[in-house]
Amino acid sequence: MARFTISKINEVAERSWWRKTSRKGLAKKCHLTEDQVDELRATREYQQKVEDLMLSQRSSLEEFEKWVKSHQKQYGNMNHFGKQMGLDPKVVPMMVENVRRRHAAIAAGKNKAPKMIQHPRKNMNPNSERTIGSCRNSVYLYYNQQKRKNAESKGENIWECNIGRTIREPHTRINEQAGTALPAENLKIGLHIKTDREEKIERIIHDILKVRGKHIADAPGREWFLTSPSEVEEIYNSLF
């Protein structure tokens, strides 16, 4: 079996993960033969790199389980993911269990959370328009800057905003969620609430906005609302 450098293993894994590059495309882009791509993907080092990606792109075991369930719901199992990454389907369940254990160890304080491996494209500005609170976790509101401009040009003071929570920096979590349809560089963090009660605060803000008829039911995901940073801050200040 051919020997491969760590940088070459990382390159193949990250192209497979982010760009879903085909076997033929990997051979061309990574200066390998197609047989070498297969050999590289069969190594334990490659599997470890894929596990690192699976771990670093989800902020908690809960988020990871949602990701696994979404694959299972759409495809019936994790075989589609294994095919995308060029893995033997037999090793994927073991890798998923390894990532579960690693997330559990992080949650228990036994291991440190890994640094997120950034998408190879421009990322959003990490600065928020307004930050309140002083604790370690976060509830955040972000929006597409063009959507805000369009609303304000019509004299409107609300627009599509995403309200979520994370135990990491908000821009790290948002960069995970952004894709080609929602380029991260077009996004802006309008409000960053630093808190250790992020789950409760996010839920209450969501519930109040739903009662006000602000939830966007047909948006991708359940966290989009017709609101503004000032409205969400007003809700927060009235309750906490």
Side-chain angles (χ1 to χ4, degrees):
M1 181 176 290
R3 290 177 176 269
F4 302 99
T5 64
I6 294 298
S7 62
K8 186 62 67 176
I9 289 169
N10 291 349
E11 181 183 6
V12 171
E14 290 179 20
R15 282 187 177 277
S16 300
W17 178 275
W18 295 116
R19 298 185 173 118
K20 300 178 176 61
T21 308
S22 68
R23 177 173 176 261
K24 184 176 181 179
L26 287 169
K28 182 178 180 180
K29 294 289 186 180
C30 300
H31 306 290
L32 298 167
T33 66
E34 291 185 42
D35 286 344
Q36 286 176 323
V37 170
D38 292 341
E39 290 178 22
L40 182 151
R41 285 171 147 181
T43 64
R44 177 56 193 157
E45 290 80 8
Y46 177 77
Q47 292 177 22
Q48 183 63 56
K49 175 64 178 181
V50 175
E51 285 184 19
D52 290 344
L53 284 163
M54 293 164 72
L55 181 74
S56 68
Q57 300 307 308
R58 299 293 176 271
S59 60
S60 65
L61 179 58
E62 178 186 13
E63 291 296 320
F64 178 70
E65 293 294 1
K66 287 181 181 177
W67 178 76
V68 172
K69 287 179 181 177
S70 70
H71 274 276
Q72 292 173 336
K73 182 177 180 181
Q74 187 169 1
Y75 303 108
N77 51 44
M78 293 295 289
N79 289 352
H80 182 270
F81 170 73
K83 183 178 180 180
Q84 173 191 321
M85 300 304 297
L87 295 163
D88 183 337
K90 295 178 182 178
V91 307
V92 176
M94 175 194 70
M95 295 170 67
V96 169
E97 286 302 317
N98 287 344
V99 176
R100 283 186 174 123
R101 285 193 288 269
R102 292 172 69 183
H103 266 303
I106 292 168
K110 296 178 182 179
N111 291 335
K112 290 184 178 180
K115 181 179 179 182
M116 191 187 80
I117 301 167
Q118 297 287 351
H119 191 294
R121 57 165 165 74
K122 186 177 179 181
N123 293 307
M124 74 178 302
N125 188 323
N127 298 321
S128 61
E129 292 177 336
R130 180 159 172 74
T131 300
I132 56 178
S134 59
C135 297
R136 59 185 177 180
N137 300 334
S138 304
V139 172
Y140 57 81
L141 176 153
Y142 73 86
Y143 58 84
N144 184 312
Q145 296 181 78
Q146 189 59 51
K147 296 277 188 180
R148 178 174 185 169
K149 289 179 181 178
N150 292 344
E152 291 179 338
S153 70
K154 300 174 185 176
E156 298 171 353
N157 59 5
I158 60 172
W159 56 92
E160 295 177 15
C161 298
N162 184 292
I163 301 164
R165 61 183 167 87
T166 183
I167 62 173
R168 296 182 291 172
E169 289 298 318
H171 71 278
T172 299
R173 177 66 182 129
I174 296 165
N175 279 326
E176 292 177 3
Q177 297 174 323
T180 55
L182 193 68
E185 58 268 28
N186 293 342
L187 304 180
K188 182 71 175 178
I189 301 174
L191 180 64
H192 176 194
I193 302 171
K194 293 185 174 183
T195 176
D196 282 339
R197 297 181 292 171
E198 68 280 0
E199 185 173 356
K200 179 180 179 180
I201 292 172
E202 180 203 44
R203 184 179 68 252
I204 291 173
I205 291 173
H206 282 189
D207 288 347
I208 290 175
L209 288 172
K210 287 176 182 177
V211 169
R212 293 182 180 180
K214 300 293 187 75
H215 185 233
I216 305 174
D218 59 351
R222 296 176 293 177
E223 300 179 336
W224 287 96
F225 300 85
L226 279 174
T227 185
S228 67
S230 60
E231 181 178 22
V232 172
E233 185 174 355
E234 170 262 314
I235 293 171
Y236 174 77
N237 288 336
S238 70
L239 296 169
F240 301 98

